[in-house]
Amino acid sequence: MNKPPLLPICVLLLVVSSQCQDSQSRFDIFAGYMHLSYPVTDIYGSSWARQGFDGGEASAAYRLGKYYAAEADFSGAIGPTMNNGNTPNEYTTSTRTYMAGPRFFTNFHRVGVFGHVLFGGLTFTRGFPGDSGTSFAFALGGGVNLWATRHIGVRLVQFDYLRNTNSVAGEDADARSQPSTNYRVSTGIAVRF
């Protein structure tokens, strides 16, 4: 079996790498851990209790100008195991979000700072397969990336104010009284090219 010539391949990689470093990155991709604070009630409860949901978040942004981009964001998280009233039955809760909107950003050497406004939906599921409901949601927030290299970095923190009203989150509670102010915090790996 013939081995490919290494010298031409190395030269080609160096040329492509130098071209990438001379041009601005067009795509920014993020994947990591997310914690969401979200209110739910027990099936027979009438008061709302804020619970922690842990999961993952992924986003992709495409640069449209020097300081702004179009962003798509997706997340999924599992909540606490809840009790079904006076019976020993338990069920799980989960959330999924899918949103998109503008991102505004700037860079200070190896540190990138951004803010975004995202619009879309939030799906809350109680039990498996269980009850499920989707409602309009929007997020307002931002974050900080620390770039270790030109293309690879760490999202130190992303903080979002997340607002929605989802009646499935409270079985017997009044959906209009649900606390609609929610918060999510994320961290993970960022890649740009």
Side-chain angles (χ1 to χ4, degrees):
M1 175 184 278
N2 293 334
K3 292 184 180 179
L6 292 179
L7 183 60
I9 292 174
C10 290
V11 170
L12 179 63
L13 288 175
L14 285 173
V15 169
V16 170
S17 176
S18 67
Q19 292 296 320
C20 288
Q21 291 190 14
D22 289 341
S23 64
Q24 291 183 342
S25 299
R26 296 299 266 171
F27 290 100
D28 179 335
I29 298 172
F30 162 75
Y33 165 78
M34 176 201 67
H35 177 79
L36 171 66
S37 172
Y38 194 78
V40 296
T41 67
D42 284 334
I43 283 185
Y44 298 109
S46 59
S47 63
W48 294 95
R50 192 160 294 284
Q51 302 290 336
F53 287 70
D54 295 303
E57 179 181 2
S59 66
Y62 179 73
R63 180 188 295 251
L64 298 173
K66 188 172 182 181
Y67 298 110
Y68 59 95
E71 178 179 356
D73 181 275
F74 305 94
S75 71
I78 302 293
T81 301
M82 305 293 283
N83 192 330
N84 190 7
N86 297 324
T87 66
N89 297 334
E90 294 183 336
Y91 58 91
T92 59
T93 54
S94 65
T95 63
R96 291 186 313 276
T97 64
Y98 27 90
M99 297 181 282
R103 175 191 287 186
F104 303 94
F105 60 89
T106 189
N107 292 305
F108 305 99
H109 302 290
R110 292 189 177 270
V111 177
V113 179
F114 70 91
H116 57 204
V117 181
L118 306 173
F119 302 92
L122 182 144
T123 299
F124 179 88
T125 303
R126 175 190 299 275
F128 183 80
D131 294 329
S132 181
T134 301
S135 66
F136 172 78
F138 78 87
L140 175 65
V144 178
N145 293 330
L146 177 62
W147 297 102
T149 69
R150 168 95 173 121
H151 301 288
I152 299 173
V154 174
R155 180 150 301 166
L156 297 176
V157 67
Q158 175 181 320
F159 181 81
D160 290 312
Y161 165 80
L162 180 66
R163 186 172 175 92
N164 87 302
T165 300
N166 196 321
S167 61
V168 176
E171 192 74 17
D172 291 334
D174 183 0
R176 291 169 295 182
S177 67
Q178 178 191 19
S180 56
T181 301
N182 311 299
Y183 303 97
R184 69 177 180 178
V185 179
S186 306
T187 186
I189 302 297
V191 178
R192 61 185 178 185
F193 52 94

